Amino acid sequence: MNAISATKDKLSMSLHTSLLSKNTPLKLALSALCVLSLTACQPTDSSSANKNDVNADKQDKTLSAERSQNIEALAGVPMQQLASFDRQEIKQGGDSGISITSAESYSKPSSNLTALRKGSFFIGNAFFQQPWVIAPASTDSRDGLGALFNVAACQSCHVKDGRGHAPMSSKDDADSLLIRLSMPATTDEQRQQLQDSLIEKVVHPMYGGQLQDRGIQGVPAEARIAVQWTDMPVTFADGYVETLRAPIFKLTKPGYGAFDNEMMVSPRVALPMIGLGLLEQIPDDDIKKQAINNNSTSDISGKFNWVMDPQTGKHALGRFGWKAGQTKLITQNQSAFNEDMGLTSNIRPHESCMPSQTACINATTGADEQGNGKLPVEVNDEIAKFVEFYTRNLAVPHRRNANDKLVLAGKKRFYDMGCQSCHTPRYQLPKTDDDHLEQHGQVIYPYTDLLLHDMGDALADRTIAGKLPAKDAQVEFLANSYEWRTPALWGIGLAQTVDPQATFLHDGRARTLMEAVLWHGGEAENQRQKVLKLDKQGRAELNAFLKSL
């Protein structure tokens, strides 16, 4: 990976070249690549992972009694009903869902949205889709892009409101993938601030908390993002081989000085936009109780992220983003405007420039006066509310073939293996006194607990020097490099219908759903070992169930 000096960088490239040569033994190459990679490697075959069989075998009971009771209490129905055909589950998003199964499956409004409220949805859609431009410009409502940024439009990351993908080669742009950055705490004050969730992270003094790989004219980009892929075969018990791919992300052409070896690097693809308003309505207590009561007799023990809400300045439960670092959609959206596009708002009123980036600081902005003592901003409250309404009301597609025998067999396997330990299937949403009318009282099936789970070394973020950070090194409020929020599974079977390039997991390494499953480790190692014991029929069943979601 990138190092502090040019000498180390040349050595790294030399190692990559030699490791990938035809004369290098595969196991030696993979072992060394793991050291250099920003993410760890899984074993090249299932035999090397068999040391975990003891733990897997001793935990035939995949759920503790209290976790089972918790899931049933949240669902309002017994586990047996959840694991079998449930006609209500066809509508994963409740009455707000849609039955479209095309490339537009993620881009439609909630079906229970009234004609009067659809206008706000489509105005928000326009601001989500249309590119922002460099100031000054005649399009006064959409100027102020940058000065440092990743993309010019929300839709550039969330293609057709779907998930992103990693660059396929060093020549590809990283439009739907970004790199989050952080530094280890070095003072008692920083460590205490992190423990108390007073700060999100310790940012890099020159590059901040997110790498921005583009800049407007006269403002150097912070770096370029490149990726190399290494094939990694994994063998099932019946001899079938599934080939995974391990990414090696590299940052080139640093624009503001050398990177520090200790800088932690977190590649992240864009998440799909569907159902976010429904997830926002899950009561905090329903999420918290899953952490408090989570499997006391198993290896799975999720935790909730406790974050500083930038809108209120108060602590709140995190639920959005790969590490649950955002509390609600309005803050998620305005943070993305700021960090991804270089746009200011009343929640994030300052340009995303570090003190040493003078060209960025001195660049012309598109900020307009707000009055009432507020700072000038580029995304005013009216635009922000339209975009919030849009992101709240992107509908979840209905399930397909939910009563198919193959799908139901796969669903039984999903439950028998204990995948619902993290992927909590069903919630009953309350009726609240807010304006979220389309989400009120819905019964939903998102398959997520919205908690952080340690997914093991293979999926952990690394330092730019390729080292695993300490488990107590916080990188996003309470989350460490090994922990990821359980993603919702609803709509996942249509991800590549919406965008054929869509990939899975936080850094887009998984090209298929089975690849994503096989990368699970850490708390999910027991489930991974059970999957590796599936025969051809079992794999087909599990895959059919996941694709039906």
Side-chain angles (χ1 to χ4, degrees):
M1 303 307 302
N2 276 346
I4 290 178
S5 67
T7 303
K8 288 185 178 180
D9 192 58
K10 290 179 181 178
L11 175 60
S12 174
M13 290 303 294
S14 176
L15 280 169
H16 277 84
T17 303
S18 62
L19 287 169
L20 296 174
S21 69
K22 294 182 179 180
N23 297 323
T24 306
L26 177 61
K27 287 189 177 180
L28 175 61
L30 289 174
S31 174
L33 280 170
C34 288
V35 176
L36 293 172
S37 175
L38 291 182
T39 52
C41 298
Q42 287 285 77
T44 57
D45 57 49
S46 61
S47 63
S48 60
N50 285 340
K51 62 184 179 181
N52 296 300
D53 282 350
V54 175
N55 291 331
D57 291 340
K58 76 177 182 181
Q59 191 170 306
D60 291 331
K61 188 176 181 180
T62 54
L63 293 179
S64 66
E66 60 261 48
R67 180 58 177 140
S68 295
Q69 291 167 5
N70 191 269
I71 290 173
E72 291 178 336
L74 292 169
V77 298
M79 191 73 70
Q80 184 178 2
Q81 180 175 333
L82 290 171
S84 57
F85 174 63
D86 180 358
R87 186 173 299 279
Q88 189 171 14
E89 188 182 346
I90 294 174
K91 294 185 175 182
Q92 298 178 100
D95 292 334
S96 68
I98 57 171
S99 58
I100 296 173
T101 57
S102 69
E104 302 300 317
S105 294
Y106 287 3
S107 298
K108 299 301 181 181
S110 301
S111 62
N112 57 353
L113 194 66
T114 65
L116 186 63
R117 289 164 68 86
K118 280 184 180 178
S120 295
F121 177 89
F122 289 114
I123 294 172
N125 181 30
F127 281 105
F128 193 88
Q129 284 189 333
Q130 294 173 5
W132 288 67
V133 296
I134 299 168
S138 57
T139 53
D140 187 57
S141 63
R142 287 188 294 105
D143 71 341
L145 177 68
L148 288 167
F149 64 102
N150 297 109
V151 292
C154 306
Q155 193 78 214
S156 298
C157 287
H158 305 277
V159 179
K160 295 182 179 177
D161 303 290
R163 64 184 59 240
H165 63 274
M168 292 301 297
S169 70
S170 59
K171 296 180 181 180
D172 287 348
D173 288 328
D175 280 353
S176 57
L177 174 141
L178 55 80
I179 304 286
R180 301 300 298 274
L181 307 172
S182 63
M183 295 293 291
T186 57
T187 67
D188 289 341
E189 181 183 12
Q190 288 175 339
R191 283 185 280 270
Q192 192 62 51
Q193 287 177 321
L194 286 169
Q195 289 175 16
D196 296 339
S197 290
L198 295 175
I199 58 173
E200 176 187 348
K201 65 178 78 174
V202 178
V203 301
H204 190 278
M206 288 185 294
Y207 291 97
Q210 178 170 311
L211 188 85
Q212 291 158 321
D213 59 347
R214 290 185 171 98
I216 65 173
Q217 187 174 3
V219 180
E222 291 184 327
R224 294 288 295 170
I225 302 169
V227 64
Q228 292 177 311
W229 299 101
T230 302
D231 286 345
M232 299 185 61
V234 175
T235 305
F236 283 78
D238 66 355
Y240 173 77
V241 177
E242 183 86 26
T243 301
L244 309 184
R245 59 174 190 171
I248 301 174
F249 287 92
K250 184 164 184 171
L251 306 182
T252 64
K253 300 180 180 178
Y256 298 88
F259 300 115
D260 296 275
N261 262 2
E262 299 80 16
M263 184 173 73
M264 289 177 279
V265 182
S266 183
R268 302 184 194 179
V269 298
L271 283 158
M273 301 299 298
I274 56 171
L276 298 183
L278 296 166
L279 296 180
E280 190 174 37
Q281 288 294 99
I282 298 175
D284 285 3
D285 286 345
D286 286 357
I287 299 170
K288 288 180 178 180
K289 72 176 62 172
Q290 297 185 75
I292 295 170
N293 296 324
N294 216 341
N295 299 14
S296 59
T297 58
S298 82
D299 296 328
I300 295 176
S301 56
K303 75 180 188 187
F304 59 84
N305 207 352
W306 194 238
V307 311
M308 181 62 71
D309 187 315
Q311 185 178 34
T312 65
K314 297 179 180 179
H315 286 111
L317 182 81
R319 66 180 71 206
F320 292 116
W322 279 109
K323 291 190 183 287
Q326 295 290 339
T327 58
K328 48 188 182 285
L329 283 176
I330 190 71
T331 60
Q332 167 71 32
N333 293 344
Q334 294 191 36
S335 294
F337 271 130
N338 190 253
E339 295 176 319
D340 301 354
M341 301 164 68
L343 299 169
T344 56
S345 63
N346 282 323
I347 292 177
R348 298 292 297 269
H350 302 292
E351 298 288 342
S352 56
C353 309
M354 295 303 292
S356 61
Q357 296 172 337
T358 54
C360 180
I361 293 171
N362 295 328
T364 302
T365 76
D368 298 315
E369 294 292 339
Q370 302 299 296
N372 299 320
K374 295 180 179 180
L375 293 173
V377 296
E378 290 150 335
V379 180
N380 62 40
D381 284 347
E382 186 178 17
I383 293 173
K385 287 178 181 177
F386 281 128
V387 174
E388 180 196 13
F389 191 85
Y390 173 72
T391 57
R392 189 202 309 161
N393 279 295
L394 282 162
V396 176
H398 295 335
R399 284 189 61 191
R400 287 85 47 217
N401 307 315
N403 201 23
D404 181 83
K405 290 183 178 179
L406 193 68
V407 169
L408 289 175
K411 186 177 188 181
K412 185 176 186 303
R413 290 185 183 276
F414 182 91
Y415 279 81
D416 287 347
M417 291 187 293
C419 301
Q420 75 275 34
S421 297
C422 301
H423 293 282
T424 305
R426 168 171 156 154
Y427 296 86
Q428 300 181 88
L429 301 184
K431 291 185 178 180
T432 54
D433 59 359
D434 56 29
D435 186 47
H436 298 203
L437 305 180
E438 294 73 26
Q439 292 76 38
H440 285 175
Q442 299 300 326
V443 175
I444 61 172
Y445 295 78
Y447 285 90
T448 175
D449 58 9
L450 295 177
L451 296 177
L452 297 168
H453 292 275
D454 184 333
M455 297 302 291
D457 292 2
L459 291 181
D461 290 328
R462 299 206 166 205
T463 68
I464 199 164
K467 294 182 179 180
L468 281 168
K471 284 287 182 78
D472 62 355
Q474 294 169 226
V475 297
E476 193 165 332
F477 292 107
L478 300 183
N480 66 30
S481 293
Y482 302 76
E483 293 172 326
W484 301 98
R485 187 208 65 166
T486 307
L489 297 183
W490 53 14
I492 200 167
L494 290 170
Q496 291 173 337
T497 299
V498 171
D499 180 10
Q501 295 188 85
T503 50
F504 308 99
L505 297 179
H506 67 279
D507 56 9
R509 69 177 65 192
R511 295 159 292 188
T512 67
L513 296 178
M514 183 57 73
E515 285 186 33
V517 170
L518 293 176
W519 275 110
H520 282 50
E523 294 177 33
E525 181 61 33
N526 176 42
Q527 282 68 32
R528 178 179 180 271
Q529 292 302 318
K530 290 178 182 293
V531 171
L532 285 171
K533 294 176 182 177
L534 295 178
D535 59 12
K536 181 178 180 181
Q537 179 66 19
R539 294 191 294 271
E541 290 168 355
L542 179 61
N543 196 51
F545 168 66
L546 294 175
K547 287 191 172 183
S548 78
L549 294 174

